[in-house]
Amino acid sequence: MRQNRLDRQLRIEGWNQQALDNAKIGVVGDDDLLASLYVMSASALGINHIVALAPSLDPLLVETAKKLNPRFTLTHLEGFYAHPVIDELFKGCRLIVDLSHYGLANKLLLEKGFRENIPIIRGFCYEKNGDQGFGVFSYLRGREWQDLEQIISPCHLPTGHFDDGVLDTIISGIVLEETKNLLMGQGVSDELIAYTRKQLNTPNDQQNILVVGSGALGIFVGLGLAYSKFQNITFMDPDIIEITNLNRQVLFYDAVGESKAKTLSKKLNELFELDTSNQVAYFDRNSDISYFDVVFDCVDNFESRIVLSEKCAGQGKILISGGTSPDAGQVVTYNPDADDVTPAELLGMYDIVEKRNPEDYQRERAACIYQPDPSVIMTNQITAGFMVDSFRRLLDGQRPVNIFYDSKSNTRF
């Protein structure tokens, strides 16, 4: 069961699942979503032992973490990290993840990392001077970064702070990537991984949204849209859930053999009291998108992505196109009022499929069995988060930039 669930990441060259299995991770969080999202994603990846200190954790995300991974254990102490006497809680931890938003915890943990030679991975979102964004930094003793104060919150004690579920999704993915690299003895970024944009004032008018693809990208796009209060969402996917999906498709832990589109719609409706709908179907040239204002491309093949680009260009629809590999991802936004080049053209998809006619392409429903491509959770949640944020920026009148994520790059973007 475990081997099958983790099959896609075990196929990655150099992957060391045992390093994840045996590690004990400490997490310091706040009264927000960030620590809970990290816990859920870490469990999906196969990290089995987490000790968390936070005033609260989201019970639905914790329940998901436990059901995804039967070997997962979570020790949760309710409270804030405010004194070194609490250090005993983290005895035996290979590293500590600091997702707090108050300077006292940040300073205490950096001092602990220096004193005990324990890596500290710091991740946070912020709002300042009309900007919103996030930062992630991995601290190791000897890496006395000259701008270390940039990762310390200006608020010394726990208090109200800016939080955003979409940015949290991206942060948790990047922090988990750094966690995996440290545990496997791989390189981590020696720079502050940062993203900044203008503060959002997203209009309250509801958009009619079509999400094509209900796998890992579709799930995290759906979560991001729900966290952003969008309501009118339709999910389209012809496939059924396989056990090998569960290392990244986090909401499907109890639905192997069932429809991806139906299950995702049902789960989000239950979790967020939404009324999303679904279509169990392929997206092809006959698909009707006239009702929708925006289409999210979360599919896993170039042929369908070409058709999506052509349909949206032909009907003047906004298209947010995302794609991933085990260590990279890209988000390309097509706004018919401002862009002449579609995502398929920009990304050279026609050359990739050697000008094969997309209309003749029929993907097998069992493609994941017969074409077992390596895949992990991190690039999917990072890419999906940027897809939703690009859409929010567009609605706010901002010009979203195309995002190209590379987990092997120091700056990542």
Side-chain angles (χ1 to χ4, degrees):
M1 168 72 173
R2 170 185 170 277
Q3 193 79 4
N4 290 336
R5 185 179 69 82
L6 301 177
D7 175 80
R8 293 306 178 256
Q9 62 200 47
L10 294 175
R11 293 174 179 271
I12 299 172
E13 185 177 355
W15 190 267
N16 182 0
Q17 188 63 41
Q18 187 175 3
L20 305 183
D21 288 345
N22 298 334
K24 180 181 177 183
I25 305 298
V27 176
V28 175
D30 257 334
D31 194 6
D32 55 29
L33 275 172
L34 183 50
S36 302
L37 283 166
Y38 175 84
V39 166
M40 178 185 68
S41 300
S43 171
L45 192 69
I47 293 175
N48 298 323
H49 310 290
I50 289 182
V51 177
L53 174 62
S56 65
L57 291 174
D58 186 306
L60 295 174
L61 296 180
V62 170
E63 180 186 14
T64 299
K66 292 178 177 178
K67 290 184 176 179
L68 272 170
N69 179 0
R71 300 178 65 187
F72 179 71
T73 62
L74 172 67
T75 302
H76 176 210
L77 177 65
E78 295 183 4
F80 293 97
Y81 190 81
H83 196 281
V85 73
I86 303 174
D87 280 358
E88 187 67 21
L89 178 67
F90 300 116
K91 185 176 181 180
C93 289
R94 286 284 309 279
L95 58 87
I96 298 177
V97 173
D98 178 13
L99 304 175
S100 63
H101 289 81
Y102 55 102
L104 179 58
N106 308 153
K107 293 175 182 178
L108 287 172
L109 286 167
L110 288 173
E111 193 274 336
K112 178 179 176 65
F114 176 81
R115 185 180 71 248
E116 300 182 17
N117 197 21
I118 297 175
I120 307 293
I121 307 175
R122 172 93 173 98
F124 59 97
C125 59
Y126 66 87
E127 185 174 67
K128 183 179 180 181
N129 298 329
D131 290 334
Q132 296 170 340
F134 65 76
V136 174
F137 184 74
S138 295
Y139 171 78
L140 308 171
R141 189 164 72 181
R143 185 182 284 185
E144 310 312 323
W145 188 46
Q146 62 179 356
D147 296 318
L148 207 56
E149 65 272 10
Q150 290 188 35
I151 67 171
I152 297 175
S153 173
C155 299
H156 298 295
L157 297 174
T159 184
H161 61 273
F162 167 71
D163 187 52
D164 181 271
V166 175
L167 296 184
D168 286 348
T169 300
I170 303 170
I171 297 165
S172 60
I174 298 172
V175 171
L176 186 57
E177 183 76 44
E178 294 284 270
T179 302
K180 180 268 292 182
N181 288 343
L182 282 168
L183 294 178
M184 293 188 184
Q186 301 170 351
V188 294
S189 175
D190 58 10
E191 296 186 15
L192 175 67
I193 302 168
Y195 171 73
T196 302
R197 53 149 169 74
K198 294 298 182 183
Q199 181 177 344
L200 291 175
N201 295 292
T202 306
N204 291 325
D205 59 310
Q206 287 295 319
Q207 304 287 305
N208 295 318
I209 300 169
L210 174 64
V211 180
V212 184
S214 300
L217 262 186
I219 286 173
F220 283 107
V221 164
L223 285 170
L225 292 170
Y227 289 140
S228 303
K229 309 300 184 185
F230 291 103
Q231 299 279 336
N232 304 329
I233 311 168
T234 299
F235 297 96
M236 175 185 286
D237 197 303
D239 290 343
I240 61 171
I241 299 160
E242 303 162 10
I243 193 169
T244 56
N245 298 147
L246 300 185
N247 74 323
R248 60 202 185 278
Q249 298 179 20
V250 291
L251 296 184
F252 294 162
Y253 52 83
D254 59 353
V256 172
E258 299 180 17
S259 160
K260 288 185 178 182
K262 284 184 178 180
T263 302
L264 178 53
S265 177
K266 178 183 176 183
K267 291 276 188 181
L268 292 177
N269 289 346
E270 292 173 350
L271 293 174
F272 295 95
E273 298 183 352
L274 302 178
D275 189 24
T276 69
S277 60
N278 67 86
Q279 298 180 24
V280 182
Y282 290 97
F283 188 93
D284 57 28
R285 295 192 186 282
N286 295 318
S287 299
D288 183 9
I289 62 171
S290 59
Y291 169 76
F292 301 102
D293 302 301
V294 58
V295 179
F296 283 84
D297 165 14
C298 301
V299 301
D300 58 2
N301 65 86
F302 293 117
E303 287 82 358
S304 294
R305 296 181 72 184
I306 288 173
V307 177
L308 277 160
S309 279
E310 293 177 351
K311 288 276 288 188
C312 288
Q315 297 192 29
K317 303 293 184 180
I318 296 169
L319 175 63
I320 313 293
S321 180
T324 65
S325 69
D327 53 18
Q330 83 279 149
V331 178
V332 176
T333 302
Y334 172 73
N335 177 6
D337 294 332
D339 299 316
D340 297 324
V341 178
T342 67
E345 293 168 331
L346 179 68
L347 297 172
M349 293 182 189
Y350 292 94
D351 292 333
I352 292 173
V353 300
E354 298 177 337
K355 295 183 170 56
R356 181 169 55 198
N357 185 358
E359 195 169 17
D360 296 335
Y361 178 78
Q362 181 68 33
R363 186 171 65 90
E364 296 291 336
R365 290 194 178 204
C368 287
I369 295 176
Y370 298 114
Q371 300 177 19
D373 296 326
S375 187
V376 290
I377 190 171
M378 293 85 78
T379 52
N380 284 286
Q381 64 189 108
I382 293 165
T383 301
F386 277 124
M387 291 173 74
V388 176
D389 204 54
S390 294
F391 178 50
R392 298 191 305 179
R393 292 182 70 173
L394 195 62
L395 290 181
D396 193 46
Q398 300 182 31
R399 174 78 173 178
V401 295
N402 295 328
I403 300 286
F404 294 89
Y405 172 76
D406 180 1
S407 67
K408 299 182 185 301
S409 162
N410 247 347
T411 58
R412 296 298 192 267
F413 317 120

